[in-house]
Amino acid sequence: MERAKPVAFRGADPGSPFRTDAQGDPWIGQAIKARYKVSRRLAAGPSGNLYIAHDGETGAEVTLKLLPVGIALNDDRLRRLRDELSVTRAVARIRPNVAIVHDCDRTASDRAFLVLEPLAGQSLADVIGQGGALPVERALRLAFEIADGLQAAHNLVLVHGALDAEHVLVGAEDTVKLTGFEVARLGGAGFGAPSRDPASRVDVEDVQTAEPAGGLTEQADIQALGLLLMQMLTGAVRPRSEGSGARPERQLGPEVPAAVRELVMQALARSPDPRAPDMGSVANALWVELYRVAERPVPTVPDSAPAVQPRARRPDRLQCAAGCPSS
């Protein structure tokens, strides 16, 4: 196939004085770096907005994530972030649940942005906000998909560290894409509240990124998954800073089986014990409880042979509600 010829789009960067306000959003219709033509907004949240755009160089559709105004990235930090997030391409070869980050860059007005694979759907925060508590079976199915992607990332030493409902995109037939791996690397989950005061801009020069510090641990991801499952089952999305309450199990209704309640509590528990369950164990537990709730026999979990062998055996993909295979 012949490679598309590069196209230089005309359009003012919304950070410049010549901005326009198409459809109420100044970025829609603009050309970022004279390469990415923004067509529509996909989702919005504290850690940044997602847009669908056309890449004039490759001819492909991409997703752009514009980070908050308060995030300042110098050239060195930009290169390091680009290198770290390039691991998502390897993760996607094992499991498709993690969104691929192709590049990181800055707009003409110095706004940091990411270039991701084409995405679709709505955030889990919007799903819960619009529909309230999810049926137990659907909540378990989505939680398994999230755990599936996180385990593949953990196998390649990529920890999220700041996962919340904003970073889970739910597509057709409840497919899941995980985004937001840059959040903890840019100063934690609280970086998404942009300040109007230039003096308060985030200086990422002092932020650690390479080592599992400041919440970048597998157990942090397991706790975040437990909180997401709690939110799906209760219909209440809370900021990460508010936690899940002293007795979160009291928030679960009688329709939630005791085994699922226990699974939530185990995921939320903070334990320094090195023998604590890893994400593979959590994914397997979710798989079993999903089939119990659906009143179907739990199928035999086949061996898989991805590029990096998982630490726990589990199915390649969970086919949703209708017609799951049984043993």
Side-chain angles (χ1 to χ4, degrees):
M1 180 180 294
E2 184 179 355
R3 181 182 175 87
K5 296 181 179 179
V7 176
F9 295 112
R10 292 183 179 182
D13 187 316
S16 76
F18 305 103
R19 53 192 280 176
T20 61
D21 198 16
Q23 300 182 29
D25 189 315
W27 292 96
I28 295 175
Q30 300 298 329
I32 297 177
K33 304 286 286 189
R35 173 174 176 177
Y36 302 107
K37 182 80 170 187
V38 179
S39 59
R40 63 184 175 88
R41 189 167 71 181
L42 177 64
S47 70
N49 294 344
L50 293 177
Y51 294 89
I52 301 301
H54 178 80
D55 184 346
E57 183 172 306
T58 66
E61 183 179 88
V62 296
T63 302
L64 299 184
K65 181 173 184 179
L66 288 169
L67 302 183
V69 174
I71 300 300
L73 292 175
N74 62 28
D75 290 342
D76 180 59
R77 301 302 295 182
L78 195 63
R79 282 192 296 269
R80 292 181 61 180
L81 183 62
R82 182 182 291 128
D83 290 344
E84 279 200 59
L85 297 183
S86 68
V87 178
T88 58
R89 292 194 288 273
V91 175
R93 289 196 291 268
I94 303 172
R95 295 287 186 267
N97 308 50
V98 173
I100 299 172
V101 180
H102 293 297
D103 198 10
C104 310
D105 208 337
R106 294 188 299 264
T107 70
S109 58
D110 211 31
R111 182 82 171 267
F113 69 93
L114 309 180
V115 182
L116 301 95
E117 65 173 291
L119 299 174
Q122 59 182 154
S123 72
L124 181 58
D126 287 340
V127 171
I128 298 173
Q130 295 169 10
L134 307 185
V136 176
E137 183 178 351
R138 188 185 186 198
L140 288 170
R141 183 166 65 247
L142 289 173
F144 172 82
E145 293 288 343
I146 296 167
D148 197 41
L150 287 173
Q151 186 194 354
H154 291 178
N155 285 335
L156 293 179
V157 202
L158 178 64
V159 175
H160 196 292
L163 183 68
D164 62 21
E166 175 198 350
H167 302 133
V168 180
L169 275 181
V170 181
E173 298 183 354
D174 280 351
T175 56
V176 162
K177 288 284 187 179
L178 304 181
T179 67
F181 282 84
E182 77 284 350
V183 173
R185 290 157 178 80
L186 294 175
F191 85 77
S195 170
R196 296 179 182 272
D197 180 5
S200 65
R201 287 169 63 87
V202 177
D203 182 6
V204 298
E205 186 66 30
D206 299 325
V207 176
Q208 294 181 346
T209 59
E211 297 299 325
L216 294 181
T217 67
E218 294 188 19
Q219 286 303 307
D221 280 355
I222 291 175
Q223 291 168 20
L225 176 60
L227 182 57
L228 287 180
L229 182 54
M230 168 72 74
Q231 293 172 348
M232 287 188 279
L233 293 171
T234 62
V237 177
R238 299 176 180 82
R240 290 171 54 85
S241 59
E242 293 186 13
S244 55
R247 297 296 300 275
E249 74 278 11
R250 293 181 176 178
Q251 303 171 34
L252 298 174
E255 74 281 0
V256 179
V260 176
R261 291 169 175 264
E262 181 62 24
L263 198 161
V264 171
M265 296 308 298
Q266 289 178 354
L268 288 173
R270 300 185 179 186
S271 172
D273 190 340
R275 296 171 297 177
D278 61 19
M279 191 61 74
S281 300
V282 174
N284 283 344
L286 289 165
W287 169 259
V288 170
E289 294 309 320
L290 173 56
Y291 273 87
R292 285 178 177 170
V293 167
E295 297 183 345
R296 292 192 296 268
V298 180
T300 301
V301 180
D303 289 314
S304 58
V308 177
Q309 187 67 26
R311 289 168 294 185
R313 296 170 56 200
R314 56 181 170 73
D316 286 339
R317 293 283 294 170
L318 175 62
Q319 302 301 322
C320 64
C324 289
S326 60
S327 57

